[in-house]
Amino acid sequence: MTKLTKIFVLGLLTSLLVGCYNKGELKTNIQNEYDRARAMTITKGDICLYLGSVKFPYTTQPILPDETQWSIWNKDDLSKTLPLFAEIGLLKRQPVEDKPDVYRYDLTELGREYQHAYPKGTIYNNAFCYGIKQLIEVTDVTEKERGGGGKVMLA
């Protein structure tokens, strides 16, 4: 998201430095920068809901006493998020035979469409991304002072 913010501010500054602004033109320039930033990212939308660190298919596992604190937190988070995403149809949840309270999770077709996975080594972070930021209207532009004494025009 910081990339989008930087591009947004850059687009805004560029349009303001060109001279007098037209709110309609400013809106178009800002939206174009959002769209350009989105085209450069690998996510499928502007809003992402973090699922957890998990590689699919995944079978729930008990927390063991000798595990790292990170692993304990991750398993605890997964025990809360996986059932919710299964309930809304992004994951399939199946009980494991002869093992009470143990489930196997995998992505549904809908889940595959919205999944954004970004593996880092042996850690598989996952999120479901959707939606597009759409600027509706520029109503006002004001001048704000920034830390170093420089001025920035903000919409």
Side-chain angles (χ1 to χ4, degrees), residues 98-117:
D98 299 330
K99 293 186 179 180
D101 298 325
V102 176
Y103 297 92
R104 181 177 170 84
Y105 290 91
D106 206 350
L107 293 162
T108 63
E109 284 303 313
L110 184 63
R112 279 188 220 305
E113 185 178 336
Y114 290 99
Q115 178 196 27
H116 174 67

Side-chain angles (χ1 to χ4, degrees), residues 11-149:
L12 179 64
L13 288 174
T14 302
S15 33
L16 291 173
L17 292 174
V18 173
C20 291
Y21 68 90
N22 170 311
K23 288 181 185 175
E25 188 177 316
L26 181 59
K27 175 190 173 288
T28 301
N29 290 341
I30 293 170
Q31 187 62 53
N32 288 344
E33 290 302 316
Y34 272 135
D35 295 342
R36 191 171 73 79
R38 185 181 315 105
M40 293 186 311
T41 65
I42 57 174
T43 59
K44 296 159 187 78
D46 292 334
I47 302 164
C48 295
L49 301 172
Y50 184 66
L51 176 62
S53 184
V54 58
K55 183 177 180 183
F56 292 107
Y58 173 78
T59 303
T60 56
Q61 304 162 3
I63 295 173
L64 303 174
D66 64 339
E67 289 189 89
T68 65
Q69 186 62 52
W70 180 88
S71 182
I72 293 169
W73 286 332
N74 188 57
K75 284 181 180 180
D76 185 50
D77 287 346
L78 291 174
S79 73
K80 296 170 187 163
T81 59
L82 294 178
L84 294 173
F85 286 111
E87 191 173 316
I88 60 174
L90 296 169
L91 297 174
K92 290 181 267 188
R93 179 183 185 199
Q94 299 172 325
V96 174
E97 226 175 280
D98 299 330
K99 293 186 179 180
D101 298 325
V102 176
Y103 297 92
R104 181 177 170 84
Y105 290 91
D106 206 350
L107 293 162
T108 63
E109 284 303 313
L110 184 63
R112 279 188 220 305
E113 185 178 336
Y114 290 99
Q115 178 196 27
H116 174 67
Y118 39 108
K120 292 186 178 193
T122 59
I123 297 173
Y124 292 84
N125 290 309
N126 281 272
F128 292 113
C129 300
Y130 66 97
I132 294 174
K133 285 184 184 176
Q134 188 71 39
L135 185 62
I136 305 297
E137 177 182 18
V138 174
T139 58
D140 192 20
V141 177
T142 57
E143 191 174 317
K144 297 277 183 178
E145 286 244 357
R146 293 293 176 209

